[in-house]
Amino acid sequence: MSLTALTSLYDLSFSELSDSLAALGQPPYRALQVWQGLYHSYWETFAQASTLPKALRQALSAQFALRTFTPVKQIASKDGQTLKTLLRLSDGAAVETVLMRYHRRQTLCISTQVGCAMGCSFCATGQMGFRRNLSSGEIVQQVVYYARRLHADGKAVTNVVFMGMGEPFHNYNATIHALDRLEDPAGMALSPRRCTVSTVGLIPGIRRFTQERRKENLAISLHSIDPVQREAIIPIARKHPLEALKRACLDYVHASRRRISFEWALIAGTNDTVAHARALAAWLKDFFVAGACLCHVNLIPLNPTPGFESAAPRRETVQRFAEVLQAAHIPCTVRLRRGIEINAGCGQLATQEA
Ligand code: SAH
Ligand code: SF4
């Protein structure tokens, strides 16, 4: 068996790791030792596992791999605050992971799939089609990769957003297993409040997320409240109609008592006028509970992609749109897609390399 065909240790939950170590005749304390090696010391080779006896290192390396991908390309934005890495997986496919550094925050934008099956017309990942799901370990390792690098500078990953390539709820189990591992108090201990899962609006996924009382932030890619227009830019919306999506979002808000985020990619001439903003504000009225607005809108000026003709609106248009929402007491943030000059838009680097 080639090394790359071995299961990655990062694909195991703590109990699976404990079972594997017990099967190798190891005492119970070993599981925590290895777990901390993975999530505190960010091992990438068994040679680094110097706290383990040599015989155990050999036994583990015969059964498991540590690193299943290789960084093949890395680019930084002009201000050096955004770094984007193309990671080659063991089967040759590539995914992107982006680090955005702010004052005290280090936010990672990670991928859940190679490509995406949802086919959104404006999205570079959608334009490349679906290749395969990532395993939970492949999702987690994107965070571990950057955590290791930041650790060397005395820093840590503070926030993780599932907004890279792929649709997290089309790979639900791996996404949830990855979150559980990242949030494990004995490991990286990321706060669920600092993790955000973004979905194009897959209703069964939203319902499961609600029922499982997940504590991460939930973001829905809305982009239009006109069903015909929404289905034109988001083909999968035909299977997840707008009114049913709204019901699922409202049920989430009522069950969790938490704010939900809506993403709105502003496309010039399509969904960026004052009339669109007013219609959105009216649509969001149902999200006011006891006078409090339990939603937040993220406005993302379109990041141009080769397969989609339209452009981002002008700055004043974006501003005006935000003002209409603010006047209706709906909190909103304009997300300048940082690192645009390095093609940090979702899926753009991988598409160029493919
Ligand atoms: N599949 C998930 C998460 C990945 S995309 C989802 O669709 O929500 C993350 C966000 O980037 C989504 O809101 C998506 O609509 C947006 N996005 C994708 N391509 C974009 C582009 N070219 N310009 C602006 N936003 C884009
Ligand atoms: Fe997939 Fe999200 Fe891109 Fe749509 S926007 S194609 S769901 S990654």
Side-chain angles (χ1 to χ4, degrees):
M1 201 193 278
S2 75
L3 189 71
T4 49
L6 299 176
T7 302
S8 162
L9 276 182
Y10 286 103
D11 268 311
L12 303 186
S13 65
F14 185 75
S15 71
E16 288 165 341
L17 175 67
S18 304
D19 291 349
S20 304
L21 287 164
L24 289 170
Q26 294 297 313
Y29 70 82
R30 281 280 183 239
L32 187 59
Q33 206 180 2
V34 174
W35 197 249
Q36 293 186 334
L38 298 174
Y39 296 109
H40 289 176
S41 307
Y42 314 119
W43 290 340
E44 55 181 337
T45 65
F46 284 101
Q48 291 167 348
S50 53
T51 47
L52 303 182
K54 199 162 173 222
L56 176 59
R57 268 187 269 166
Q58 276 167 352
L60 282 174
S61 64
Q63 273 188 39
F64 297 103
L66 268 173
R67 197 174 61 173
T68 53
F69 58 64
T70 329
V72 283
K73 193 165 179 179
Q74 183 125 281
I75 41 178
S77 61
K78 282 192 195 113
D79 64 5
Q81 295 305 94
T82 304
L83 266 186
K84 177 164 189 155
T85 310
L86 189 68
L87 301 167
R88 179 90 57 215
L89 302 154
S90 46
D91 64 353
V95 289
E96 350 180 306
T97 307
V98 183
L99 168 69
M100 291 159 283
R101 282 184 281 221
Y102 303 90
H103 182 47
R104 281 205 198 103
R105 261 186 300 149
Q106 281 80 232
T107 299
L108 268 194
C109 176
I110 63 171
S111 300
T112 53
Q113 298 180 315
V114 183
C116 184
M118 304 297 120
C120 304
S121 51
F122 53 88
C123 167
T125 311
Q127 289 158 17
M128 77 188 267
F130 178 69
R131 308 276 167 85
R132 73 169 172 87
N133 278 329
L134 296 187
S135 70
S136 57
E138 288 170 331
I139 299 172
V140 161
Q141 275 182 288
Q142 296 169 63
V143 183
V144 169
Y145 173 81
Y146 269 109
R148 187 185 295 127
R149 297 184 48 156
L150 288 167
H151 186 65
D153 291 342
K155 297 213 164 81
V157 174
T158 58
N159 298 63
V160 175
V161 297
F162 286 61
M163 292 187 187
M165 297 168 74
E167 166 51 43
F169 285 172
H170 189 219
N171 189 12
Y172 190 92
N173 289 341
T175 296
I176 295 298
H177 290 151
L179 284 165
D180 286 343
R181 234 160 284 159
L182 295 172
E183 293 163 10
D184 187 310
M188 292 183 74
L190 274 173
S191 160
R193 302 276 190 252
R194 290 172 176 265
C195 297
T196 301
V197 178
S198 172
T199 176
V200 71
L202 303 191
I203 295 170
I206 299 169
R207 296 229 171 266
R208 252 181 99 177
F209 195 84
T210 308
Q211 275 150 20
E212 292 169 4
R213 302 195 171 280
R214 299 296 311 182
K215 296 281 182 283
E216 297 83 11
N217 305 306
L218 180 60
I220 310 288
S221 295
L222 192 58
H223 308 323
S224 176
I225 51 142
D226 168 6
V228 176
Q229 186 183 58
R230 188 161 191 272
E231 288 168 25
I233 54 176
I234 307 176
I236 197 71
R238 279 177 228 140
K239 284 202 189 146
H240 301 267
L242 198 61
E243 274 316 299
L245 173 62
K246 186 179 195 181
R247 190 68 258 154
C249 294
L250 284 169
D251 289 347
Y252 166 80
V253 161
H254 288 287
S256 67
R257 290 270 151 189
R258 299 203 51 208
R259 238 179 213 180
I260 193 166
S261 291
F262 290 106
E263 288 155 280
W264 192 274
L266 281 163
I267 307 169
T270 300
N271 62 356
D272 64 337
T273 64
V274 166
H276 288 116
R278 288 198 183 124
L280 173 60
W283 196 84
L284 293 174
K285 277 218 166 79
D286 294 330
F287 289 86
F288 282 79
V289 179
C293 180
L294 288 185
C295 73
H296 182 277
V297 176
N298 283 321
L299 299 172
I300 318 167
L302 183 79
N303 203 10
T305 56
F308 190 66
E309 296 261 291
S310 309
R314 289 157 43 154
R315 191 182 285 227
E316 308 83 76
T317 310
V318 175
Q319 198 46 41
R320 222 173 36 228
F321 197 99
E323 282 163 10
V324 172
L325 295 181
Q326 279 150 2
H329 306 288
I330 296 163
C332 78
T333 312
V334 178
R335 299 242 172 258
L336 293 171
R337 288 183 76 90
R338 293 178 29 148
I340 193 165
E341 79 273 17
I342 61 161
N343 291 317
C346 170
Q348 282 186 274
L349 187 62
T351 330
Q352 282 169 7
E353 281 286 300

